């Protein structure tokens, strides 16, 4: 008995030294046995289904990143050879959803209208011909039809059997349609009128221009002081010097001659005490996650208990140009009761105008400034983490956005840019005076990325500096025990990012203070909810199905790192521990543990049907909490 205990402890120590999670020995296996088990089960399923048209499509891997060259070598190299790839998976295959359907049905047919293009129309108008070429339906029931009483995609829906007669007529459920009449499930959509106004630059930013004029006056006054430093007037009459008047911020309202008791400025400009108040304290905050933090994913997290949600990072210049894809990041579902949007920019004029635009045309509870994005594309132009080293610009941005917003302004930052040079503790006292309502601190620097654990001791010291402004901590939260330790540092709340991607039920675990040994069937139901929400958000036609599939696969590239609680020898799983190869308690649990892209596709086929013949996928993100490269074993997609 003692020998067994000693051996177990030795295995645990060995696993910890390798950075692996401690899994019960009876579930451990080797890489070869793991893949053999998955492949044998897959072949068995194919035999049971009698699939005769089995084809394999190899997914090309990205080109290897080229090493840096000496400048002298670059001069002698041909232009075609001098191009270097940056980052990871930049050359991954990208197939537009439009290519998955060769001939599409004209929208005029779905809407029972006359086509304005007539014979020149590229799309099909013959319903019978379209139905013959249309891919097979995925299932017998349509989520949109069952939920809303009608499906707006009609015959093009991939579940059209549920609401189509033999004569190609679309059915409706009158009671459900009437019950949903007037309901707006998704808000903050970009109207065509606003988009045209933005493109033609006809939108007036009155409050922004008012603030920007004060900046230019301050700049001119500063220049004047440098030239005429000895000519500062003596305030003998008790009046305020002109220099002080010009330096007053936009919130300090100058005296205005009035005819009546109220001026226009009094009506339009809200005083700080009149702005909307949001109680952020002791709440669970789902971080704004690029690509994976889409609206369907946020709906899943809301079901599990997330209190605060935030849209994906939106670039302010793209919003000001009226780009539809960027405005889609601001969309808000009706279930998101405390919702904000995150914007990125590096100049006071564009950020202030963007804030005023959102304030007038979107329904949000707060606006967040991204001052923590580490990627080169954002950082090198002065945005994201770059704002932490440009304090004057950051101050101008915060004051300007506060001037035009009727809702709280929040900021997300990192510990700093360089690993051993923290800046957050210097910035936080300043941001308090600039009018920030919430500060979120990620406990790592830009240079560290995910190579080291978050510094929660430093986050705790910053939380003390931030009072009375609430400060949320972010980094390495994967269990309720991690959340309890984080709250002990004195933070007002916690933000969860990768932990929610690995297991979205973490919000339930934290609120109920337990480790949830969730079954593989329950996890598949979570994925099914996501696909249903995706079909509602992106559409139930071929384009919508494939877009939903692509986002599902991106999420599975994180979710596969989850290790079931019942398999762990030591609870909880740590975010920096990589899962070794193990066989789950059933085939589905084993399949969900696979790091193979082809196995993720197999899971997607359970929910969204077979992939198209020209389907290709490689995950966008390879960033892990540990240095580990996803296995390329049999990187194939089954059709």
């Amino acid at each position: 008995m003692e020998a067994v205990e000693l051996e177990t402890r030795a295995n645990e120590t060995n696993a910890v030294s390798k950075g692996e999670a401690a899994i019960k020995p009876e579930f451990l296996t080797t890489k070869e046995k793991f893949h053999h088990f998955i492949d044998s089960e897959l072949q068995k399923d194919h035999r049971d289904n009698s699939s005769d048209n089995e084809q394999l499509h190899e997914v090309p891997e990205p080109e290897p990143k080229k090493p840096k060259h000496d400048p002298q070598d670059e001069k002698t190299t041909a232009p075609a050879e001098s191009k270097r790839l940056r980052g990871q998976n930049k050359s991954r295959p990208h197939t537009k959803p439009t290519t998955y359907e060769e001939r599409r049905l004209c929208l005029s047919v779905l809407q029972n209208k006359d086509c304005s293009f007539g014979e020149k129309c590229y799309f099909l108008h013959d319903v019978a011909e379209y139905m013959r070429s249309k891919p097979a339906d995925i299932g017998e029931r349509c989520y949109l039809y069952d939920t809303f009483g009608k499906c707006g995609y009609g015959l093009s829906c991939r579940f059209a059997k549920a609401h189509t007669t033999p004569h190609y007529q679309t059915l409706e459920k009158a009671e459900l349609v009437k019950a949903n009449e007037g309901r707006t499930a998704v808000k903050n959509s970009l109207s065509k009128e606003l988009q045209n106004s933005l493109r033609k630059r006809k939108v007036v930013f009155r409050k922004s221009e008012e603030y920007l004029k004060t900046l230019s006056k301050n700049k001119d006054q500063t220049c004047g002081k440098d030239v005429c430093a000895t000519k500062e007037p003596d305030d003998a009459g008790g009046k305020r010097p002109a220099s002080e008047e010009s330096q007053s911020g936009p919130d300090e309202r100058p005296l205005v001659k009035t005819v009546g008791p109220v001026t226009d400025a009094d009506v339009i400009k809200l005083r700080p005490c009149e702005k909307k108040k949001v109680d952020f304290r002791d709440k669970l905050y789902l971080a704004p996650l690029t690509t994976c933090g889409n609206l369907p994913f946020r709906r899943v997290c809301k079901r599990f208990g997330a209190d605060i949600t935030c849209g994906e990072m939106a670039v302010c210049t793209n919003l000001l140009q009226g780009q539809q894809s960027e405005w889609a990041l601001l969309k808000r579902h009706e279930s998101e009761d405390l919702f904000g949007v995150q914007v990125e920019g590096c100049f006071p004029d564009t950020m202030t105008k963007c804030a005023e635009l959102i304030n007038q045309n979107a329904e949000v509870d707060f606006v967040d400034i991204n001052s923590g994005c580490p990627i080169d594309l954002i950082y090198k132009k002065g945005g994201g983490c770059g704002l932490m080293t440009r304090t004057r610009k950051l101050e101008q941005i915060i004051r300007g956005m506060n001037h035009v917003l009727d809702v709280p302004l929040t900021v997300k930052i990192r510990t700093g840019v360089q690993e051993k040079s923290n800046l957050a503790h210097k910035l936080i006292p300043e941001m308090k005076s600039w009018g920030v309502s919430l500060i979120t601190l990620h406990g790592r620097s830009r240079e560290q990325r995910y190579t080291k654990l978050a510094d929660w001791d430093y986050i705790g010291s910053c939380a003390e500096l931030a009072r009375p402004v609430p400060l949320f901590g972010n980094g390495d939260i994967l269990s309720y025990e991690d959340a309890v330790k984080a709250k002990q540092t004195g933070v007002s709340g916690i933000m969860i990012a990768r932990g929610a991607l690995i297991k979205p039920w973490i919000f339930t675990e934290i609120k109920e203070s337990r480790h949830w040994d969730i079954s593989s069937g329950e996890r598949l139901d979570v994925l099914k909810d996501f696909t249903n929400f995706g079909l509602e958000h992106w559409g139930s036609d071929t384009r919508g199905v494939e877009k939903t599939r692509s986002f599902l696969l991106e999420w599975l590239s994180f979710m596969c790192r989850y290790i079931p609680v019942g398999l762990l020898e030591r609870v909880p799983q740590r975010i920096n521990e990589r899962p070794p190869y193990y066989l789950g308690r059933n085939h589905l649990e084993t399949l969900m543990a696979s790091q193979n892209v082809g196995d993720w596709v197999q899971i997607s086929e359970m929910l969204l049907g077979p992939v198209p013949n020209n389907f290709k996928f490689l995950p966008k993100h390879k960033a892990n909490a540990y240095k580990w490269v996803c296995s390329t074993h049999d990187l194939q997609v089954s059709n």
Side-chain angles (χ1 to χ4, degrees), residues 218-219 222 348 387 390-397 434:
N218 289 346
K219 186 177 181 181
T222 304
L387 283 176
R390 303 165 72 228
T391 52
R392 187 177 177 186
K393 289 291 182 189
L394 181 59
E395 178 185 0
Q396 292 172 347
I397 288 171
W434 299 340

Side-chain angles (χ1 to χ4, degrees), residues 453-617:
L453 292 175
D455 189 349
W456 276 94
D457 292 332
Y458 181 69
I459 293 175
S461 63
C462 288
E464 188 69 31
L465 288 172
R467 289 188 177 90
V469 175
L471 183 139
F472 275 45
N474 170 227
D476 304 333
I477 306 293
L478 192 60
S479 67
Y480 86 86
E481 292 180 2
D482 295 333
V484 169
K485 290 178 182 177
K487 289 178 181 178
Q488 289 172 354
T489 62
V491 294
S492 302
I494 56 175
M495 174 184 276
I496 303 174
R498 287 177 302 152
L501 291 173
I502 295 171
K503 55 175 191 180
W505 51 90
I506 185 174
F507 301 101
T508 302
E509 289 189 343
I510 293 172
K511 289 190 172 181
E512 297 180 1
S513 300
R514 67 185 178 101
H515 297 294
W516 185 357
D517 189 11
I518 188 170
S519 67
S520 57
E522 289 174 308
R523 289 159 64 192
L524 188 65
D525 288 339
V526 173
L527 297 177
K528 188 172 184 179
D529 286 340
F530 174 84
T531 56
N532 286 336
F533 297 155
L535 295 174
E536 181 183 338
H537 186 59
W538 292 301
S540 59
D541 58 348
T542 299
R543 295 175 66 182
V545 167
E546 295 312 318
K547 196 165 187 178
T548 302
R549 191 195 305 273
S550 66
F551 282 108
L552 173 65
L553 292 172
E554 293 286 359
W555 181 19
L556 286 172
S557 69
F558 287 91
M559 204 176 182
C560 64
R561 286 190 256 164
Y562 170 72
I563 303 174
V565 173
L567 275 59
L568 287 169
E569 203 159 46
R570 170 181 48 77
V571 177
Q573 176 188 357
R574 303 296 181 190
I575 204 165
N576 64 324
E577 294 175 341
R578 66 179 182 271
Y581 286 99
Y582 65 90
L583 297 178
R585 291 164 288 191
N586 54 49
H587 172 250
L588 182 58
E589 194 167 74
T590 307
L591 184 66
M592 287 182 167
S594 176
Q595 303 282 346
N596 188 356
V597 177
D599 295 330
W600 305 340
V601 173
Q602 186 183 345
I603 294 172
S604 79
E605 289 182 323
M606 296 178 184
L607 304 167
L608 295 170
V611 296
N613 291 330
N614 56 343
F615 178 82
K616 297 176 182 178
F617 175 78

Side-chain angles (χ1 to χ4, degrees), residues 409-436:
L409 180 67
T410 67
V411 182
K412 186 174 188 292
I413 60 174
R414 284 177 176 258
T415 57
V417 178
Q418 278 78 34
E419 181 176 351
K420 296 181 180 179
S421 180
N422 291 334
L423 298 174
H425 65 283
K426 299 177 183 178
L427 272 177
I428 287 171
E430 296 291 333
M431 287 194 290
K432 286 167 61 178
S433 63
W434 299 340
V436 170

Side-chain angles (χ1 to χ4, degrees), residues 48 102 189 262 283 519 620:
D48 293 341
E102 294 180 2
S189 297
V262 180
K283 287 184 170 59
S519 67
K620 179 180 179 181

